[in-house]
Amino acid sequence: MKGALLSIKAHTNHSFTSTSMRIMVTLFSATILTLILLLNFHIPQTKSQQEYLDNHQLDCDDPSKSTYGNICNSINSCQSYLTFKSSPPHYNTPATIAYLLNSTVPLIANANNISYVDPIPTDTMITVPVNCYCSGHYYQHNSSYTLKTEDENYFTLANNTYESLTTCQALDAQNIYGLTNLTAGLNMHVPLRCACPTSKQIENGFKYILTYLVSEGEYPELIAEIFGVDSQSVLDANKLIEDQVIFYFTPLMVPLKDKPPTKIQRTLPPPSTPLSKPHVENLARNKDSSSSKKWVVVGIAVGAAFLLLIFFVLLFCFCQQHKNKKKLSSAATKTTTEEVSNTNTSITNPSFSLCSEGLRYAFESLTVYEFEELHKATSFFSEANRIRGSSAYRASLKGDDAAVKVLKGDVSVEINILRRINHANITRISGLSVHKGSTYLVYEFAENGSLDDWIHFSKCINSVALTWKQRVQIAQDVADALNYLHNYVNPPHIHKNLKSDNVLLDGNFRGKLCNFGLARVVDDYDFGEEGFQFTRHVVGTHGYMPPEYIENGLVSPKMDVFAFGVVMLELLSGREAIVGDKNGGEKRLSAVVSEVLEGDNVREKLHAFMDPTLRGEYPLNMGYSMAEIAKRCVANYHNLRPNVSEVLVILSKIQSSSVNRDPSDVMEKTFDQISDWKI
């Protein structure tokens, strides 16, 4: 009987609880709906992205937020487009415009279907593809400019030279020089105005944002027609309302679903067509509309407050009842928890340093060794078997040499990358073992160690230097490996940690790329269509990391190209990635090559730059060709660097020429052949 009464009581409590919950959910839903309606009346509906500049850029003392740039309100980076009108005599070719806007000649020529070298007719508007980044609070594409005359200032630079792609306010905020302290020769940082699509714009199919320079007589509807988009999307993108006045020579953000046309057809309206209605009328209309809604807003607010009050009263009652019920059931809950805990204990093993998914894939494709087998194969991981003080040990497994690398943490990423790729110039992983929180990876053994052991004179452990032919072959091997990773693996991969220490040499001195612990897969989800991504976790070796990665965390295949350029310079010079300067400081090897190949006396400077252990046994013209491509690889802007496939083609030609020549026979000819260089 007592049990029956308890059952009835429990059923009653359950029914009351269920009913209370239903009432609360209903009231809560009604409250939320009411608040949404209130907000819809109170806040203007907009899909807008950025605020129109509205001629605020003409007053350098105007502190309006819109003058500093477009707000970062979406993804961190994207490809975007700028527009620029050809302006002779200084900026009327793809090369001069690319230099001004920090773009490239091929990008501009291809985007506009024009010649690489021919002048562009005066006042012709072209599109300039650029990478747009979120820098602090604002989107921008960075360029630089050296003041040429005393008459130049932030205002003329923004409105004349850069055609309103920046503002004097943004220049003043992002440079250390005051408005009155500008002199010829100063190098200015120039933030160019750009933007990325918002999530709403992306949902609507827009992929790019173009910064358009408004011409006299143009209005949003006409500009939208030029690019084949609806006028409302242009209004929304700039926080404009219908018929609002816009000013010529101001930038307007235009969302695009496809890349802009190769030729912009601008057609001004006939004289009888009104350009826009007075802005005052729009303001008055909006004011009347707002007044008519005032009492509606007040009524909704009162209703929402009443519903919220009822909701919180019911919530308090429910919480009190739930608290009592929790006390009655605590004993049963404790018993159940203990049973589950005992069951899970038997399957938990904290010693594994691979994630379960990574383990499953690794075990399917690699040989799994017993730890004791690796222990014996490395002479119990003795110091005599340690490879140059690293975490890798030489081992003998079934009569074959191998390298066993000891790692902690989750190494499943490296394993899953290495097991998917197969290339003669990439070290092959063959097995693994897991023991007490450490993972032991088994690799093929490189008899001649790392490239770093052979080329740096200050710490060279070998008495014989690499020959010219060997150096060119190693460079080609590494380029071949990178080309495979970037262009033939699906999806592509970025090594992210290329340096001479991570290039191993086999018994025939063929290069093999190793150490994929920092490697990244270039998938569409993380990297998007443009093939780059940003990270806050910047890690690498000083001297090999490109500027955009150090400063902004930009990850792209071009960071491998930069590091490879440094490795080529090491092969040529025998110097390390960071070298000392005359003042006792440090200088990047990537900066030294520009000093060698530019200016006067190039032949003498290059000969002094080359590794003295070569003893002059190399064709200097080939050395120049290799130094020139290395210089392109270490360009400060990643868009200026070649693709690794182009580098591979050039190195293959150098390697072929080097194999078919006797360096000692061509040295004198070489000096004659390069007599046309700057001397």
Side-chain angles (χ1 to χ4, degrees):
M1 181 68 179
K2 184 177 180 181
L5 288 173
L6 288 173
S7 177
I8 293 171
K9 184 178 180 181
H11 178 73
T12 303
N13 288 338
H14 177 72
S15 299
F16 176 77
T17 301
S18 301
T19 303
S20 300
M21 282 297 296
R22 285 195 295 270
I23 294 173
M24 290 175 64
V25 168
T26 302
L27 282 172
F28 183 74
S29 301
T31 304
I32 294 299
L33 180 60
T34 304
L35 289 174
I36 291 173
L37 289 172
L38 175 62
L39 290 174
N40 281 341
F41 273 99
H42 186 64
I43 301 175
Q45 287 294 307
T46 180
K47 300 175 184 177
S48 63
Q49 181 193 20
Q50 305 296 347
E51 186 175 351
Y52 175 57
L53 198 53
D54 206 22
N55 260 0
H56 292 297
Q57 83 283 359
L58 297 181
D59 181 2
C60 293
D61 294 323
D62 189 332
S64 301
K65 288 184 178 180
S66 61
T67 60
Y68 294 101
N70 290 323
I71 300 295
C72 294
N73 59 358
S74 182
I75 53 180
N76 286 330
S77 66
C78 64
Q79 179 179 326
S80 63
Y81 293 88
L82 309 177
T83 56
F84 190 85
K85 291 182 180 180
S86 174
S87 177
H90 300 299
Y91 306 110
N92 64 332
T93 66
T96 54
I97 295 173
Y99 180 79
L100 180 70
L101 302 182
N102 185 22
S103 186
T104 68
V105 173
L107 284 176
I108 293 176
N110 294 334
N112 298 275
N113 194 24
I114 57 178
S115 164
Y116 279 39
V117 295
D118 292 341
I120 303 169
T122 302
D123 209 35
T124 298
M125 180 174 285
I126 64 169
T127 57
V128 181
V130 297
N131 292 324
C132 189
Y133 309 114
C134 183
S135 179
H137 299 293
Y138 302 102
Y139 282 123
Q140 61 190 51
H141 171 72
N142 294 327
S143 187
S144 61
Y145 182 86
T146 301
L147 295 180
K148 297 175 177 58
T149 68
E150 300 294 335
D151 295 331
E152 290 182 306
N153 53 52
Y154 287 147
F155 183 88
T156 61
L157 195 62
N159 295 288
N160 297 343
T161 306
Y162 281 93
E163 300 182 357
S164 295
L165 288 173
T166 186
T167 64
C168 51
Q169 292 91 335
L171 289 169
D172 185 35
Q174 298 195 30
N175 283 281
I176 61 175
Y177 315 110
L179 290 169
T180 58
N181 298 323
L182 301 180
T183 59
L186 290 180
N187 187 262
M188 315 298 299
H189 173 74
V190 183
L192 301 178
R193 203 176 188 89
C194 63
C196 294
T198 63
S199 57
K200 186 68 176 178
Q201 287 171 325
I202 294 173
E203 287 177 10
N204 291 334
F206 293 104
K207 298 179 180 179
Y208 312 102
I209 299 294
L210 177 140
T211 306
Y212 182 78
L213 181 64
V214 179
S215 297
E216 188 171 7
E218 290 183 330
Y219 49 91
E221 292 82 0
L222 182 62
I223 296 171
E225 184 178 340
I226 292 173
F227 294 98
V229 296
D230 62 286
S231 59
Q232 188 60 47
S233 66
V234 176
L235 295 175
D236 291 338
N238 297 274
K239 292 188 177 181
L240 295 172
I241 58 177
E242 188 178 357
D243 298 329
Q244 181 174 336
V245 171
I246 63 172
F247 300 93
Y248 76 91
F249 226 68
T250 56
L252 200 71
M253 301 298 113
V254 180
L256 303 175
K257 294 186 177 181
D258 298 299
K259 294 181 179 180
T262 56
K263 186 175 182 181
I264 298 177
Q265 300 285 354
R266 293 182 295 146
T267 304
L268 295 181
S272 60
T273 304
L275 296 181
S276 61
K277 294 179 182 178
H279 185 41
V280 177
E281 294 179 8
N282 296 313
L283 295 177
R285 184 169 63 244
N286 290 342
K287 183 177 179 180
D288 293 341
S289 177
S290 298
S291 299
S292 66
K293 296 177 183 176
K294 181 174 66 176
W295 291 108
V296 177
V297 172
V298 172
I300 293 177
V302 172
F306 180 71
L307 287 175
L308 279 174
L309 179 63
I310 296 176
F311 171 75
F312 282 117
V313 169
L314 288 176
L315 179 63
F316 176 77
C317 296
F318 175 77
C319 290
Q320 287 296 110
Q321 182 184 16
H322 183 67
K323 184 177 180 181
N324 295 332
K325 182 179 179 181
K326 186 176 180 181
K327 291 180 180 178
L328 292 174
S329 60
S330 60
T333 303
K334 182 178 179 181
T335 302
T336 304
T337 302
E338 289 176 352
E339 291 176 355
V340 173
S341 177
N342 291 334
T343 303
N344 288 338
T345 301
S346 62
I347 61 171
T348 303
N349 188 344
S351 68
F352 283 98
S353 58
L354 291 168
C355 67
S356 58
E357 191 73 4
L359 267 177
R360 182 171 69 82
Y361 285 128
F363 289 161
E364 287 177 356
S365 56
L366 299 175
T367 300
V368 180
Y369 292 93
E370 294 290 340
F371 172 73
E372 290 73 16
E373 186 177 0
L374 298 183
H375 202 209
K376 293 178 181 178
T378 57
S379 297
F380 308 103
F381 294 101
S382 66
E383 285 300 314
N385 283 48
R386 187 189 290 268
I387 301 174
R388 278 193 61 230
S390 66
S391 62
Y393 296 80
R394 184 169 184 166
S396 179
L397 292 168
K398 300 178 181 178
D400 294 327
D401 286 331
V404 178
K405 188 176 180 181
V406 185
L407 298 168
K408 291 187 178 293
D410 182 9
V411 297
S412 56
V413 173
E414 181 172 2
I415 290 176
N416 285 326
I417 287 177
L418 286 172
R419 73 179 185 84
R420 287 198 301 263
I421 58 182
N422 182 24
H423 193 274
N425 299 117
I426 296 177
T427 51
R428 182 176 57 86
I429 184 172
S430 60
L432 82 162
S433 178
V434 179
H435 180 72
K436 292 186 177 180
S438 296
T439 303
Y440 300 81
L441 302 183
V442 181
Y443 295 90
E444 62 176 311
F445 185 72
E447 293 90 333
N448 284 308
S450 73
L451 177 61
D452 182 67
D453 296 337
W454 288 86
I455 58 175
H456 295 145
F457 181 78
S458 59
K459 55 183 178 181
C460 186
I461 62 174
N462 301 287
S463 58
V464 180
L466 293 175
T467 67
W468 168 255
K469 293 179 182 179
Q470 287 174 328
R471 296 176 194 230
V472 175
Q473 183 63 67
I474 292 167
Q476 183 186 3
D477 290 339
V478 178
D480 202 0
L482 289 178
N483 187 48
Y484 170 76
L485 292 174
H486 291 184
N487 300 310
Y488 290 95
V489 179
N490 188 21
H493 291 60
I494 302 172
H495 187 274
K496 262 193 79 187
N497 194 24
L498 176 57
K499 54 184 177 179
S500 57
D501 201 39
N502 285 336
V503 177
L504 302 181
L505 304 178
D506 66 11
N508 297 316
F509 288 96
R510 299 298 298 268
K512 290 180 177 286
L513 196 55
C514 71
N515 195 350
F516 283 73
L518 298 180
R520 298 289 293 274
V521 176
V522 185
D523 55 39
D524 292 338
Y525 180 79
D526 290 329
F527 283 78
E529 293 182 359
E530 311 310 324
F532 60 79
Q533 184 193 42
F534 286 89
T535 180
R536 294 182 179 178
H537 184 58
V538 176
V539 60
T541 303
H542 188 42
Y544 296 93
M545 295 184 291
E548 74 275 5
Y549 180 61
I550 297 173
E551 297 169 5
N552 301 312
L554 188 148
V555 178
S556 78
K558 292 298 181 71
M559 70 184 298
D560 281 349
V561 174
F562 182 94
F564 179 55
V566 177
V567 171
M568 280 195 288
L569 294 175
E570 291 179 279
L571 283 164
L572 289 171
S573 67
R575 308 180 192 186
E576 297 186 47
I578 299 294
V579 296
D581 60 18
K582 297 179 181 179
N583 300 321
E586 291 184 342
K587 182 178 288 188
R588 294 161 64 107
L589 188 58
S590 57
V592 174
V593 67
S594 295
E595 300 173 1
V596 173
L597 299 183
E598 296 175 0
D600 298 331
N601 304 317
V602 173
R603 182 173 58 186
E604 286 76 11
K605 289 189 294 185
L606 179 60
H607 186 63
F609 178 74
M610 299 295 286
D611 190 348
T613 63
L614 284 168
R615 297 182 178 88
E617 296 180 353
Y618 56 89
L620 195 58
N621 60 338
M622 298 297 172
Y624 177 81
S625 297
M626 191 165 168
E628 183 64 34
I629 189 63
K631 177 190 170 186
R632 290 178 58 198
C633 288
V634 296
N636 284 329
Y637 298 111
H638 74 283
N639 281 338
L640 299 180
R641 296 173 206 145
N643 292 323
V644 71
S645 55
E646 180 184 347
V647 180
L648 178 59
V649 170
I650 295 173
L651 286 175
S652 298
K653 293 178 180 178
I654 296 174
Q655 194 272 339
S656 177
S657 299
S658 298
V659 168
N660 297 327
R661 286 188 177 187
D662 182 353
S664 61
D665 292 338
V666 300
M667 278 303 296
E668 293 303 322
K669 294 181 182 178
T670 298
F671 279 99
D672 295 333
Q673 290 171 353
I674 61 174
S675 60
D676 293 334
W677 296 352
K678 299 176 184 177
I679 300 177

